Amino acid sequence: MPARRVVCPGSFDPVTNGHLDIITRAALIHDEVIVAVFPNLSKHALFTLDERVGLLREVTGKIANVRVQKFDGLIVDFCRSHDVSAIVKGLRAVSDFDYEMQMAQMNYNQAGVETLFMTTNPLYAFLSSSLVKEFAKYHGDVSGLVPVPVLDALAKRMAQG
Ligand code: PNS
């Protein structure tokens, strides 16, 4: 039987506990999970692509069947070149659904790539990287919402101004 290798794509600027929850659960039910870090052209990035990859490697390091890499291109091309059978996405709320559905159907239409949706842990249903960045910028408390290495990286970045 071929390995069930899936991809968890995102911009992860930065990775949150909500992302980590989805990655961990995806790894429990698949042979291998590749976390693919994409530049997001429409959002202002706080961390470089390499910094985001580094943080993800640090926080997923103990999960044996997870690897992290960056990619600049279409997710369907990543899937083709890495022999990935499906994209795994977390769905937080109904508000996520329309856009996620559109992307999933586009990716299936273009390359026959399936998308599997996992429901977000309700503990993190409200959580997004954008809100983490906004709260961190104005010295809000985001501990408990991001892994400790991300908390440290946020503190350092904010101190740099
Ligand atoms: O964490 P984000 O910003 O919600 O992730 C969005 C991401 C990176 C998953 C999405 O923009 C994506 O798949 N980008 C790769 C480029 C691509 O294939 N775009 C067309 C999607 S149908």
Side-chain angles (χ1 to χ4, degrees), residues 26-76:
L28 284 174
I29 54 173
H30 296 96
D31 296 322
E32 187 180 358
V33 174
I34 308 178
V35 180
V37 188
F38 287 85
N40 192 320
L41 307 176
S42 61
K43 293 182 196 167
H44 172 72
L46 181 64
F47 294 103
T48 67
L49 211 49
D50 287 330
E51 287 171 333
R52 289 181 252 156
V53 168
L55 285 168
L56 272 157
R57 287 199 174 130
E58 197 173 344
V59 303
T60 60
K62 290 204 172 86
I63 317 174
N65 60 337
V66 170
R67 67 187 162 100
V68 183
Q69 62 186 85
K70 62 183 173 181
F71 190 75
D72 191 357
L74 290 174
I75 181 80
V76 289

Side-chain angles (χ1 to χ4, degrees), residues 9-12 38 40 43 73-75 89 103 106-107:
S11 42
F12 303 106
F38 287 85
N40 192 320
K43 293 182 196 167
L74 290 174
I75 181 80
K89 288 284 194 79
M103 284 197 285
M106 183 72 171
N107 289 331

